[in-house]
Amino acid sequence: MGFREHSARVRRILGIVLAVLLLGGVAAVLVTGGDQDKGTATKTVRGVIGSEKSEFFADPDVVKALAARGLTVRTETSGSWDMEQLPLEGYDFAFPSSKGPADELRAKAADKAAAAPLRPFYSPLVVVAHSNAARVLADNGLATLTARGTRGILKMDAYLAAARADRSWQQLKGADRHAELSGTLFITSTDPVASNSGALYLAAASYVADGGRVADGKEAVGRTAPLLRKLTQVQGAQQTGSDAPFRDFVSGVGNPLVLVYESQVASQLLAGRPMGDLVVLYPDTTVNSDHTLVPLTGGGKELGRLLSEDPELRRLAVRHGFRPQGAAPEFTEATGKHGEYLNQTLTGVRQAPVPTGAVLRDMARRARDQGGTA
């Protein structure tokens, strides 16, 4: 046998051996993978959530923690008030950002007793401002700032008085030094007809404007409807979720004052992302957004229980900026080094009561009414 024939034969033998080894390896991987799948089998639950919780449910650590407890969660996003228009068939849970839309979703559920809402965490509404805008507000008596200038209090009475008078940035002392501060002074918020944060903004403004009274019907809504229309319609088109306006703000585009959830700011801080010239203004009268899960099946109920009670999932909720219900130290300890931005104990902040869902819907519709009827 010549050298070439011998070499060719050796190569063929080696090729066969390698193929066998590879096949064996693949088989081993397939068997091992099958064993792993058995060990981590999960039940899939599907739900609709507010956009501000999308990063939480997409977090690989949250996915892993839920899988370890037997659940795989699939989510879609929607404005909290828009959820009521969705067919509930096929969903295991709905997770709006406050009690009002949750109550309406529960009323639609086939089994209302099983759909008792759970409130795993909450977040107060805040206003994020660029530093120049925050300083001008402070110099004109509409806000106060801490010594570092990265956190402060928005004086709602003063702000609403400016809104009633259609004040522009140019009318405020010192604004002329900043070219980006021009036009009507207003806070960007989400569409109150579709989105929870926009509706709660109106609830807080109505409470302050009506002398500390929570709106309890059409007459009460009518008293503040003209002001609420001004707050809403000056903005033009509004987003249906709070995620996009906050991202726009962080990227440096849009209005210099934007209403967001504190959780959105806290998650940025805890992730170590740059804050730029962001200033957090806590309205002296604000509203807590109680993120409320409405279970529609047993799987949805189990998810709500885990989010409320499981220590690891509560820790991960804090990492995304949420305040767990019933345990303030969990939030304050985790955000301890970020006190220059976060008012961890909410000192100087009053919580406004929230009207019923029906009243809040009426308030939102009148605020969006182009005809100007009260």
Side-chain angles (χ1 to χ4, degrees):
M1 182 183 296
F3 176 77
R4 289 185 180 178
E5 290 82 356
H6 179 74
S7 297
R9 186 178 179 188
V10 169
R11 285 197 299 271
R12 282 197 300 273
I13 293 170
L14 287 174
I16 291 168
V17 171
L18 182 61
V20 170
L21 289 172
L22 285 172
L23 286 171
V26 169
V29 170
L30 289 174
V31 169
T32 303
D35 290 343
Q36 286 176 344
D37 288 344
K38 278 186 179 181
T40 58
T42 61
K43 178 199 295 186
T44 297
V45 294
R46 178 171 170 248
V48 57
I49 63 172
S51 64
E52 70 290 329
K53 292 183 284 288
S54 57
E55 285 194 4
F56 171 75
F57 280 105
D59 184 336
D61 289 338
V62 174
V63 173
K64 182 179 177 181
L66 287 168
R69 290 146 184 81
L71 292 182
T72 296
V73 180
R74 302 278 183 253
T75 62
E76 304 166 22
T77 60
S78 167
S80 291
W81 287 101
D82 276 348
M83 289 181 191
E84 187 196 356
Q85 310 305 318
L86 298 173
L88 296 180
E89 294 79 10
Y91 288 115
D92 296 287
F93 68 95
F95 204 172
S97 303
S98 71
K99 181 177 182 295
D103 287 344
E104 300 206 6
L105 286 162
R106 184 186 185 189
K108 283 184 62 181
D111 186 347
K112 295 174 180 54
L118 299 106
R119 300 181 182 88
F121 41 72
Y122 69 97
S123 184
L125 289 173
V126 299
V127 174
V128 288
H130 293 298
S131 58
N132 289 338
R135 176 55 59 192
V136 169
L137 292 179
D139 289 345
N140 286 268
L142 279 75
T144 59
L145 296 177
T146 58
R148 296 188 65 171
T150 51
R151 174 167 61 85
I153 296 290
L154 178 70
K155 299 180 179 180
M156 284 292 285
D157 268 324
Y159 168 70
L160 294 178
R164 280 194 195 91
D166 298 314
R167 293 184 75 181
S168 66
W169 282 104
Q170 291 91 329
Q171 292 173 304
L172 300 182
K173 178 182 63 178
D176 58 345
R177 295 195 293 270
H178 310 290
E180 73 276 15
L181 301 180
S182 63
T184 304
L185 170 68
F186 68 91
I187 294 170
T188 291
S189 61
T190 53
D191 182 351
V193 173
S195 170
N196 176 67
S197 59
L200 293 183
Y201 172 49
L202 298 185
S206 170
Y207 180 79
V208 173
D210 206 21
R213 288 181 289 183
V214 59
D216 58 1
K218 290 188 179 296
E219 183 180 344
V221 172
R223 287 195 295 269
T224 60
L227 173 61
L228 302 188
R229 274 195 295 275
K230 282 193 173 187
L231 297 177
T232 302
Q233 294 182 14
V234 68
Q235 302 180 48
Q238 293 175 290
Q239 301 274 1
T240 58
S242 61
D243 194 47
F246 182 64
R247 289 185 185 278
D248 287 346
F249 178 90
V250 171
S251 64
V253 300
N255 193 44
L257 302 174
V258 180
L259 183 84
V260 300
Y261 296 106
E262 179 197 55
S263 59
Q264 292 169 288
V265 178
S267 65
Q268 289 273 117
L269 291 163
L270 291 166
R273 296 172 190 151
M275 303 305 287
D277 70 343
L278 181 146
V279 178
V280 186
L281 298 176
Y282 286 77
D284 57 13
T285 301
T286 190
V287 175
N288 276 347
S289 180
D290 289 313
H291 295 273
T292 306
L293 188 146
V294 181
L296 304 172
T297 66
K301 188 172 184 178
E302 175 64 7
L303 173 63
R305 185 191 68 78
L306 287 171
L307 293 177
S308 300
E309 299 175 5
D310 185 85
E312 175 65 6
L313 287 166
R314 286 171 68 92
R315 184 187 69 79
L316 290 168
V318 171
R319 192 168 82 182
H320 284 270
F322 299 109
R323 294 175 181 249
Q325 292 283 6
E330 289 179 67
F331 182 82
T332 54
E333 288 170 14
T335 61
K337 65 180 182 179
H338 301 298
E340 72 272 24
Y341 288 101
L342 301 175
N343 186 345
Q344 290 136 321
T345 59
L346 298 178
T347 303
V349 177
R350 177 174 55 165
Q351 298 298 320
V354 179
T356 64
V359 171
L360 203 54
R361 273 196 175 280
D362 185 32
M363 190 180 288
R365 280 193 293 263
R366 295 202 203 189
R368 293 293 298 164
D369 178 18
Q370 298 293 331
T373 57

